Amino acid sequence: MLIFLALFILFVLIMNYYIRKNNRLQDNLEKNFWDREHEANFSRKKDISNLNYLIITEDKIPQNLHTDAEKTLLELCNKKMLNLSGKTNTDLKLEYGVANLEELSLCDSRFYDFVCAVSTYAGELLENGQTDAARELLELAVTYHADNSTIYTQLAELYKEKGETGKLPSLIEAAKTLPPMSAQITLEKLKACQS
């Protein structure tokens, strides 16, 4: 009986130690987050005119299906976009200043809309037998480092259908430049396409 009581007390002491340790780690993480956020909120505005903005023009968009995705792409023409995947608002405020957050968020939102619309519209073009137009649109998205695995797999399938499997390695290399989570998912899907 005393052995069980001793083991129980030891178990409680060990659990108490780990709970306190976990609480200290959590408190440190939270403090670091708020310190960083406080610093970010007082960051000075920096020049963002030299960022690598992505801008599409109407001549890059096939204009013949008149779908919602096509309309979205046309609305995005000649507007600044930025792929800010993997960066938090705190990161953006620290790097470019709090005064630029709204503009940067708008550019990132446009890029997200672009990526979604390209994926949808390429599918619509393919359904209508316009493989060349779909391919050009998908290749444009890849050059813009779109982080949507469907874009890469659609393009890989087109390359396979045309017997251009020699282009798959460059598509895989492009996928490796994506943010880590997107890259992992996309690479797994591309490997499945190669089989």
Side-chain angles (χ1 to χ4, degrees):
M1 190 68 155
L2 286 175
I3 293 174
F4 290 117
L5 182 60
L7 287 173
F8 178 74
I9 291 172
L10 182 63
F11 174 75
V12 169
L13 290 173
I14 291 171
M15 286 300 294
N16 191 28
Y17 168 77
Y18 282 110
I19 288 171
R20 287 178 187 238
K21 181 180 176 183
N22 188 39
N23 287 342
R24 278 193 307 273
L25 288 172
Q26 187 63 36
D27 288 345
N28 284 341
L29 286 173
E30 195 171 312
K31 182 184 181 317
N32 289 341
F33 169 79
W34 286 113
D35 288 347
R36 197 164 179 262
E37 183 65 22
H38 179 72
E39 181 185 347
N41 285 332
F42 291 96
S43 295
R44 300 186 88 157
K45 184 175 181 177
K46 296 180 180 117
D47 181 24
I48 60 171
S49 63
N50 60 347
L51 293 178
N52 190 20
Y53 291 104
L54 307 169
I55 299 174
I56 53 171
T57 56
E58 285 187 28
D59 62 311
K60 299 284 184 188
I61 310 300
Q63 300 177 37
N64 44 10
L65 295 183
H66 310 294
T67 64
D68 289 341
E70 177 186 339
K71 181 181 175 187
T72 299
L73 289 170
L74 291 172
E75 288 171 357
L76 291 170
C77 285
N78 302 313
K79 292 182 180 173
K80 293 178 182 178
M81 299 183 294
L82 282 171
N83 183 358
L84 299 173
S85 299
K87 291 192 177 193
T88 65
N89 284 348
T90 303
D91 294 334
L92 294 175
K93 289 188 286 188
L94 280 170
E95 194 169 345
Y96 303 109
V98 70
N100 287 320
L101 182 61
E102 187 176 334
E103 174 69 21
L104 293 171
S105 296
L106 178 61
C107 291
D108 185 48
S109 175
R110 287 180 188 145
F111 184 76
Y112 175 80
D113 293 343
F114 166 76
V115 170
C116 292
V118 164
S119 178
T120 302
Y121 193 43
E124 293 168 348
L125 289 166
L126 290 170
E127 286 174 12
N128 282 282
Q130 300 180 33
T131 56
D132 290 340
R135 176 183 169 157
E136 289 175 18
L137 189 60
L138 292 168
E139 287 174 338
L140 174 69
V142 168
T143 63
Y144 282 5
H145 303 286
D147 54 353
N148 180 326
S149 61
T150 304
I151 289 172
Y152 290 81
T153 54
Q154 286 174 319
L155 191 53
E157 290 299 328
L158 285 175
Y159 287 156
K160 280 175 60 175
E161 287 173 15
K162 296 283 185 179
E164 298 175 328
T165 54
K167 293 189 176 187
L168 291 176
S170 63
L171 195 57
I172 290 170
E173 288 303 312
K176 288 179 181 177
T177 66
L178 299 175
M181 184 67 92
S182 298
Q184 181 182 355
I185 293 167
T186 304
L187 289 169
E188 286 173 10
K189 289 186 177 184
L190 286 175
K191 285 177 185 170
C193 286
Q194 283 184 307
S195 320

